[in-house]
Amino acid sequence: MAEQPRLDMARSQVFGEVAELYDAARPGYADALAEEVLAYAELGDRTAVEIGAGTGKATLPFAALGTPLLCIEPDVRMAEVLRRNTAGFPRVRVQTGRFEDWQPDGRRFGLVYAATSWHWVAPERRWDLVHDALAPGGAVALFWNPHGTRDPRLLAALAEVDRRHGLRQTPHSASASDYGQTPGDWADVLEWPEEQCRRDGRFTDLRAVRYRQERYYDTERYLGLLASVSAYRVLPPERLERTLADTAEVLDAHGGGIAMDQLTDLFLARVR
């Protein structure tokens, strides 16, 4: 699988503009995911490192299971919300900065994980950085939560709005029926990490898991979700307003919301 072009770094810096909206609108991950990852990692009392923790959508399920966590978040505004959300978990520490600039300082960790953030890490360095942070046998867990629209008529109507406003790869641009049983079968823009990990050669016991659940967003909540997505955040304000208004018009004409399949696709590997 060919390496995909790295996403524009400017897009990785826009989430902090709407940190509170991001926290309120973004969905979490499959309920069973944290337990699956921890069972694989056999972490014990060792600390886990989270790359690009955001406001804590994936942090809280691990923290609730008692996991010692070091959360690395590049945006100070997102980190502020993250600290507030994890205030009740004394084993969670938050460090502001880019994963590429973070120094383990000789420490070796039992788990490094990234929740919808791996694609923001420099592709030419990320496997080296993860390997250098992990103890022998330590685990890496990478996961995303793509969506698929269930109603074909709504999908077509939203596709016309996206085309008119020059948007591609929006949360609703795939059909729920497009997804099969194979984790990563959506990865035509963001490379699924398995092949690159195999080529690296320093990791073993590669596994992939898919979870699926149904979600329904009413118009207001779905617009909030879209407004937290980088493809929308980089639009000029007037264009963003028009795009969301046109999307709302379509959603309201189709029952006032959108029914979706949310997948959680998980990739696991461990240091040899």
Side-chain angles (χ1 to χ4, degrees):
M1 186 182 299
E3 176 67 27
Q4 298 292 341
R6 189 178 182 193
L7 296 176
D8 182 356
M9 280 304 299
R11 289 177 58 175
S12 71
Q13 306 301 316
V14 298
F15 303 113
E17 300 170 354
V18 287
E20 296 289 351
L21 175 63
Y22 184 104
D23 190 50
R26 286 291 183 106
Y29 296 88
D31 294 340
L33 180 133
E35 290 186 355
E36 177 102 29
V37 171
L38 292 174
Y40 174 88
E42 299 179 344
L43 193 61
D45 286 332
R46 293 181 298 174
T47 298
V49 175
E50 181 176 3
I51 302 171
T55 63
K57 290 295 180 179
T59 312
L60 293 175
F62 284 91
L65 294 172
T67 310
L69 292 172
L70 172 59
C71 302
I72 302 170
E73 169 51 45
D75 192 291
V76 295
R77 299 159 295 186
M78 300 286 276
E80 181 180 355
V81 179
L82 175 62
R83 289 189 177 96
R84 184 187 71 207
N85 287 341
T86 58
F89 298 99
R91 305 188 84 183
V92 176
R93 292 179 292 134
V94 178
Q95 184 171 328
T96 305
R98 298 168 66 241
F99 182 60
E100 292 93 331
D101 299 327
W102 170 69
Q103 297 294 327
D105 295 328
R107 296 169 292 175
R108 295 284 182 154
F109 298 87
L111 169 67
V112 174
Y113 71 91
T116 318
S117 61
W118 182 247
H119 51 279
W120 298 118
V121 182
E124 69 278 7
R125 297 185 59 203
R126 54 195 176 193
W127 291 106
D128 289 335
L129 293 169
V130 166
H131 184 270
D132 291 347
L134 287 172
V140 55
L142 312 173
F143 45 98
W144 291 261
N145 57 356
H147 289 67
T149 303
R150 298 179 66 85
D151 183 344
R153 296 176 303 164
L154 178 56
L155 177 67
L158 290 172
E160 174 56 28
V161 173
D162 291 350
R163 184 200 62 77
R164 194 160 64 243
H165 293 286
L167 288 166
R168 296 178 62 252
Q169 302 299 329
T170 60
H172 50 257
S173 61
S175 170
S177 64
D178 290 343
Y179 299 111
Q181 302 302 316
T182 305
D185 58 8
W186 45 268
D188 54 347
V189 173
L190 306 176
E191 182 184 15
W192 183 245
E194 184 169 355
E195 182 59 33
Q196 192 178 66
C197 185
R198 288 189 189 281
R199 293 198 305 266
D200 182 278
R202 292 174 291 180
F203 298 84
T204 188
D205 194 15
L206 279 58
R207 304 183 192 181
V209 183
R210 164 163 286 177
Y211 306 91
R212 187 188 298 260
Q213 58 189 323
E214 294 184 14
R215 283 193 177 271
Y216 182 82
Y217 298 87
D218 62 26
T219 297
E220 182 179 3
R221 187 178 177 203
Y222 191 65
L223 294 184
L225 171 61
L226 295 184
S228 75
V229 172
S230 62
Y232 288 81
R233 296 304 318 156
V234 298
L235 295 175
E238 291 185 2
R239 186 176 165 199
L240 172 61
E241 184 177 353
R242 291 197 305 272
T243 302
L244 294 178
D246 289 351
T247 302
E249 184 177 350
V250 168
L251 293 175
D252 288 342
H254 287 76
I258 182 169
M260 311 188 86
D261 277 3
Q262 178 188 310
L263 310 180
T264 298
D265 280 1
L266 166 65
F267 174 76
L268 295 163
R270 69 175 77 253
V271 174
R272 289 187 182 276

